[in-house]
Amino acid sequence: MSRIAACFDALKSQGRQALIPFVTAGDPNPQVTVGLMHQMVSVGADIIELGIPFSDPMADGPVIQLACERALAHKTSLVMILAMVEEFREQNDTTPVVLMGYLNTVEKMGYDVFVATAKKVGLDGVLLVDLPPEESEDFGKDLRQAGLDAIFLITPTTTEERIKKICAAGSGYLYYVSLKGVTGAAAIDTDAVAEKLALVRQFTQLPLGVGFGIRDADSAARVSQVADGVVVGSVLVNALGDNASDPQKGCAQVVETLSAMRQAMDAAV
Amino acid sequence: MTKASVLPDANGHFGPYGGRFVSETLFAALDELSDTYDLLWQDPAFQAEFDLDMAHYVGRPSPLYHAKRLTETYGGAQIYLKREDLNHTGAHKINNTIGQALLAKHMGKPRIIAETGAGQHGVASATVAARLGLECVVYMGVEDIRRQAQNVYRMKLLGATVVGVTSGTQTLKDALNEAMRDWVTNVDNTYYIIGSAAGPHPYPKIVRDFQSIMGREARRQTLERTGRLPDAVIACVGGGSNAIGMFHPFLEDKDVRLIGVEAGGSGLESGRHAAPLSAGTPGILHGNRTYLMSDENGQILPTHSVSAGLDYPGVGPEHSYLKDTGRAEYVIATDTEALDSFRELCLLEGIIPALESSHAVAYACKLASQMRPDQTIVVNLSGRGDKDMQTVADIDGIKV
């Protein structure tokens, strides 16, 4: 069984939901990332989404664009990020790690090289925001053969027909984007999310993670009532950005936020 | 092999290029646009509406002008200029914005957004929005706002809101990122008028189809004037809308050379240029697969050109396909060559061309000198140079 499936199975048997933090790899500098991953696990992160910095992150808001710029100022590359995953795996063989980013970085590395390296270092899944199922048949096949999950987004505008297509192409979990907009935008409407998730569940057994607009313990707890996983990104990335000159302080804030979310989510069960 | 002129396929592919590489939120909107466009483009009433605006608002057909003194200077092929600079708003961009604004109207969208580099597409979008009573927001890099202050003022006079983009390199690509972000957020009431033959499917096809009016006219006009087809058709290529609009009606005329001229900036060897077809590799940006300028890690590289309208690291996907198949050739003209041609056209023909179009003129003159006087070159003079007065004066050290 894949790490992602095992993770959701274990949580399900405990009646809990996955806490899934997102940070941009190499933000505020590449030395911080692996240590931060371990710290996040220690306060209850179940799956880690690592952002691949990109010069033109069209689907992201200013918070993550700035994180990309900080990481790229230190020349953080996909090669380096895969090495970070390998280093993380030296001490942690259970927490799933998913890379999230834009297709051009993977395309430039070469799909074969990427899949082989990802498998070797112990990566679990890939979510490329500008790679829809229609354009990813071959890559999806390669990922599956290597035991890696292809994770796709579903959004408020996704039609029923496309939900079916995405459910068929995806594995690991599905990521429901709670609002129309970029990362770091407005607050979440839990009722509207619950309605759409009910529709998605008609077509899949896959766990459903929800992200965008989750910024505190309260919103995390509310979303955990309707979803299988809670993805939190911009609020953490903001903490790293605000303390870019003092990464330890930034990491401490990330840990504090996650810890509060974990407690609120578990209390809401 | 598929005829090049019937591409893209149903999923927007030109061979390995094009497609739809965007975030999931935009799929429904792109499907809606595709369906609406496919219906309307076949609809004689829509065609008539478009043609009427082309004739009486834009001022089409634009003339095909025989540049005799320029031709004499180079002593070779006859150089004809397709005078898109004479269009309303001063460039070819209006052909596409009229078409897309009609689509927006039929789709019932009250708000339009656009990205702009040189400001020509922004002005053209603001113009059609004013005429149809639509709200208009134009995204423009602050570096371009500085270079094209007059066009910014023009857009404001036309009632548009111009939003300065401070992210990244603060030029056209960043304006496109920001417009995409707006669209993702306001997709329900907003129509995004993309100005280049780039972006996700169906934009490259839509922009090409609306702009092909230039090539159809030029083909007919050349036949009327010279009794035969031209030997070469030349256009500058940034995102590639003026070039694809000129090339497309000639695709099946195999004896007509199609030549796209990219911005060579300070020269390819300097790395300071905007020539993805000449010096880039295929990749994914702004919703499509195409030739790009990116580094070994897939990060998009900063570009440079004296002309804001060509200062873009990607290019429309159909050009990538035409390059690979060899149907079109892609070359460069440097900043210096473009500026020389700019001045030459002013002095020899009394025409002040846009700096973008000056790149095409520069290569046309070079090529003409190697051809015979009984041969013909048609150059797309895609825009007029009024907007570039400040840039050229700055280079000359003159305060206007």
Side-chain angles (χ1 to χ4, degrees):
Chain A
M1 189 187 284
S2 74
R3 283 191 201 90
I4 291 176
C7 171
F8 277 106
D9 277 4
L11 286 165
K12 197 173 180 184
S13 68
Q14 300 160 8
R16 297 164 73 230
Q17 290 75 38
L19 176 58
I20 310 174
F22 167 96
V23 291
T24 300
D27 174 32
N29 69 63
Q31 285 72 46
V32 168
T33 305
V34 176
L36 177 59
M37 291 166 75
H38 288 302
Q39 281 184 290
M40 293 194 294
V41 172
S42 74
V43 293
D46 299 295
I47 296 171
I48 292 174
E49 287 186 357
L50 266 191
I52 309 165
F54 183 50
S55 52
D56 293 79
M58 278 188 313
D60 286 295
V63 170
I64 289 173
Q65 164 123 20
L66 288 172
C68 289
E69 287 175 13
R70 289 190 294 273
L72 290 175
H74 292 94
K75 309 245 181 280
T76 307
S77 65
L78 186 51
V79 174
M80 285 164 69
I81 296 166
L82 289 165
M84 290 175 193
V85 176
E86 189 167 33
E87 192 188 333
F88 176 76
R89 282 274 168 260
E90 288 170 9
Q91 292 177 49
N92 182 326
D93 195 35
T94 53
T95 306
V97 178
V98 171
L99 290 191
M100 185 167 179
Y102 294 81
L103 181 58
N104 199 49
T105 53
V106 175
E107 171 131 334
K108 203 74 188 177
M109 174 179 268
Y111 295 98
D112 296 351
V113 176
F114 173 76
V115 171
T117 315
K119 187 182 177 180
K120 183 172 78 77
V121 301
L123 186 74
D124 301 285
V126 184
L127 197 178
L128 296 166
V129 292
D130 55 354
L131 182 63
E134 288 86 342
E135 301 283 1
S136 64
E137 278 182 27
D138 294 343
F139 184 46
K141 214 177 286 168
D142 292 347
L143 287 173
R144 268 196 300 281
Q145 276 172 6
L148 292 160
D149 287 317
I151 294 154
F152 290 103
L153 300 173
I154 294 178
T155 73
T157 59
T158 307
T159 58
E160 196 171 309
E161 190 191 336
R162 282 190 63 76
I163 291 176
K164 288 182 200 166
K165 194 184 283 183
I166 293 166
C167 288
S171 63
Y173 59 97
L174 293 164
Y175 184 146
Y176 181 67
V177 173
S178 69
L179 48 84
K180 289 172 222 154
V182 293
T183 50
I188 192 164
D189 176 352
T190 320
D191 291 341
V193 170
E195 200 175 306
K196 192 81 171 192
L197 293 190
L199 176 67
V200 177
R201 285 192 204 281
Q202 291 178 16
F203 306 109
T204 185
Q205 301 292 318
L206 286 173
L208 305 181
V210 171
F212 283 42
I214 298 163
R215 47 184 54 168
D216 53 22
D218 180 55
S219 47
R222 276 188 289 120
V223 169
S224 73
Q225 309 254 322
V226 296
D228 304 303
V230 176
V231 187
V232 52
S234 290
V235 65
L236 308 181
V237 174
N238 222 359
L240 293 171
D242 285 350
N243 301 288
S245 57
D246 186 356
Q248 273 196 328
K249 194 176 164 199
C251 291
Q253 281 188 21
V254 167
V255 164
E256 197 182 322
T257 305
L258 281 179
S259 182
M261 287 180 167
R262 175 84 271 169
Q263 286 168 30
M265 284 167 62
D266 291 348
V269 170
Chain B
M1 201 179 128
T2 322
K3 268 177 141 185
S5 54
V6 302
L7 292 174
D9 68 16
N11 294 316
H13 294 120
F14 301 89
Y17 302 107
R20 199 180 264 180
F21 296 87
V22 292
S23 115
E24 176 59 32
T25 309
L26 296 177
F27 263 84
L30 290 168
D31 278 339
E32 184 194 1
L33 176 58
S34 240
D35 293 347
T36 308
Y37 175 72
D38 287 345
L39 273 178
L40 289 176
W41 189 241
Q42 303 303 329
D43 178 358
F46 181 84
Q47 284 285 351
E49 201 178 359
F50 179 68
D51 290 346
L52 197 72
D53 276 353
M54 287 295 111
H56 300 292
Y57 192 65
V58 178
R60 303 204 70 91
S62 67
L64 185 72
Y65 167 72
H66 188 189
K68 286 187 184 146
R69 293 191 70 207
L70 192 67
T71 299
E72 278 165 22
T73 302
Y74 288 90
Q78 305 302 310
I79 301 172
Y80 285 80
L81 305 176
K82 179 64 175 160
R83 298 291 307 276
E84 293 299 305
D85 60 315
L86 295 176
N87 292 344
H88 180 43
T89 73
H92 74 290
K93 292 291 186 186
I94 191 81
N95 303 326
N96 168 54
T97 54
I98 295 253
Q100 289 202 49
L102 288 177
L103 291 178
K105 195 179 82 173
H106 280 273
M107 291 167 78
K109 306 278 187 186
R111 178 174 182 266
I112 64 172
I113 57 171
E115 86 294 340
T116 197
Q120 291 304 104
H121 175 58
V123 167
S125 297
T127 299
V128 295
R131 180 162 170 254
L132 295 177
L134 304 172
E135 183 192 348
C136 180
V137 176
V138 180
Y139 290 92
M140 187 168 186
V142 293
E143 168 67 15
D144 291 335
I145 286 179
R146 188 189 60 75
R147 288 193 275 194
Q148 303 289 348
Q150 286 210 11
N151 268 344
V152 174
Y153 186 57
R154 229 168 252 152
M155 286 182 263
K156 287 178 179 167
L157 283 176
L158 292 161
T161 305
V162 180
V163 179
V165 176
T166 55
S167 59
T169 57
Q170 312 184 340
T171 59
L172 178 57
K173 84 173 170 75
D174 309 285
L176 223 149
N177 292 339
E178 215 53 47
M180 282 279 185
R181 288 169 180 152
D182 180 314
W183 200 31
V184 154
T185 308
N186 301 299
V187 63
D188 291 337
N189 74 345
T190 298
Y191 183 100
Y192 180 14
I193 303 189
I194 294 186
S196 291
H201 176 66
Y203 281 104
K205 179 173 79 163
I206 291 179
V207 175
R208 176 199 71 198
D209 287 350
F210 287 138
Q211 292 293 8
S212 290
I213 192 166
M214 298 185 291
R216 286 196 303 274
E217 284 176 9
R219 192 176 183 282
R220 192 184 66 233
Q221 289 167 323
T222 315
L223 282 170
E224 283 167 9
R225 296 282 289 282
T226 69
R228 47 191 285 274
L229 290 171
D231 296 280
V233 174
I234 300 181
C236 65
V237 180
S241 68
N242 92 78
I244 205 66
M246 278 297 273
F247 292 177
H248 197 260
F250 289 98
L251 283 183
E252 303 304 333
D253 301 318
K254 301 293 184 196
D255 294 335
V256 179
R257 285 175 71 184
L258 305 175
I259 304 171
V261 187
E262 295 192 291
S266 310
L268 291 187
E269 64 293 342
S270 72
R272 293 184 78 241
H273 58 80
L277 290 165
S278 303
T281 52
I284 309 285
L285 181 69
H286 294 149
N288 66 99
R289 179 177 276 117
T290 191
Y291 277 85
L292 286 181
M293 290 174 57
S294 72
D295 70 13
E296 70 278 11
N297 296 314
Q299 307 300 339
I300 307 305
L301 289 167
T303 52
H304 164 80
S305 170
V306 68
S307 67
L310 302 184
D311 207 348
Y312 180 65
V315 64
E318 191 162 6
H319 287 296
S320 294
Y321 178 76
L322 294 176
K323 172 191 161 74
D324 281 9
T325 58
R327 178 62 192 94
E329 309 155 54
Y330 295 90
V331 298
I332 61 154
T334 63
D335 285 353
T336 309
E337 288 169 331
L339 282 162
D340 288 348
S341 287
F342 173 91
R343 294 175 209 283
E344 196 165 46
L345 206 60
C346 292
L347 294 175
L348 291 178
E349 300 289 351
I351 295 172
I352 303 177
L355 284 174
E356 288 78 10
S357 321
S358 302
H359 287 73
V361 175
Y363 189 78
C365 293
K366 209 188 271 185
L367 183 66
S369 67
Q370 301 157 15
M371 290 168 68
R372 298 186 314 268
D374 64 334
Q375 294 181 300
T376 305
I377 296 175
V378 172
V379 184
N380 195 4
L381 201 72
S382 55
R384 69 176 86 126
D386 304 33
K387 69 184 174 60
D388 295 314
M389 293 300 96
Q390 193 65 52
T391 303
V392 177
D394 284 351
I395 289 168
D396 288 345
I398 294 164
K399 201 163 171 58
V400 184

